[in-house]
Amino acid sequence: MAEAKPGAEQLAEISRFFRLLSEPARLQLLCELRDSPSDVQTLMERTGFSQSHLSRQLGQLSQARLVRSERQGQRLIFHADDPLVDDLCALVSQRLRQTLEARLRSMG
């Protein structure tokens, strides 16, 4: 049985989710955190982002439940261990690879 088409409210929610992922800084943070959980200081060193910029981006990712945090002493450690992040990255990478392969085939 086919899944019902999304309604206007659901489409708006899907659109907000993809807008969240369309920001390169948030994608970079998800990639960094997929590799290893980190605190803000470490993320600042690895990304070059300011603390305020990181806090804003991590807040949005946390609100979307793509990133979680846990307190270790004085530090908050952020994790991106939602399988959805891996699945989405894999799907987009596969699509980009297919598009590139099709372009190469058409060229030669």
Side-chain angles (χ1 to χ4, degrees):
M1 181 153 119
E3 193 172 317
K5 289 182 182 177
E9 193 172 309
Q10 189 177 9
L11 287 171
E13 188 62 31
I14 292 168
S15 178
R16 278 190 290 277
F17 181 77
F18 279 109
R19 267 196 311 274
L20 176 80
L21 294 178
S22 71
E23 168 59 45
R26 288 189 286 270
L27 287 175
Q28 183 177 355
L29 286 172
L30 286 172
C31 290
E32 291 288 340
L33 293 171
R34 272 180 46 212
D35 290 342
S36 64
S38 302
D39 64 358
V40 170
Q41 183 63 40
T42 302
L43 288 169
M44 287 172 57
E45 293 166 5
R46 291 186 354 211
T47 64
F49 298 155
S50 69
Q51 184 175 358
S52 63
H53 185 65
L54 274 173
S55 294
R56 189 170 43 254
Q57 303 308 326
L58 288 168
Q60 290 178 356
L61 291 169
S62 294
Q63 193 170 32
R65 293 197 163 103
L66 293 174
V67 166
R68 67 177 175 83
S69 63
E70 66 177 339
R71 185 158 298 281
Q72 289 184 357
Q74 296 288 333
R75 302 179 321 151
L76 270 180
I77 306 297
F78 292 90
H79 304 259
D81 52 10
D82 187 327
L84 176 63
V85 174
D86 290 328
D87 292 346
L88 286 172
C89 288
L91 284 170
V92 171
S93 294
Q94 178 184 9
R95 173 69 171 140
L96 292 173
R97 190 171 31 260
Q98 289 171 342
T99 301
L100 182 57
E101 290 170 352
R103 284 184 190 164
L104 289 173
R105 280 193 303 275
S106 71
M107 293 172 68

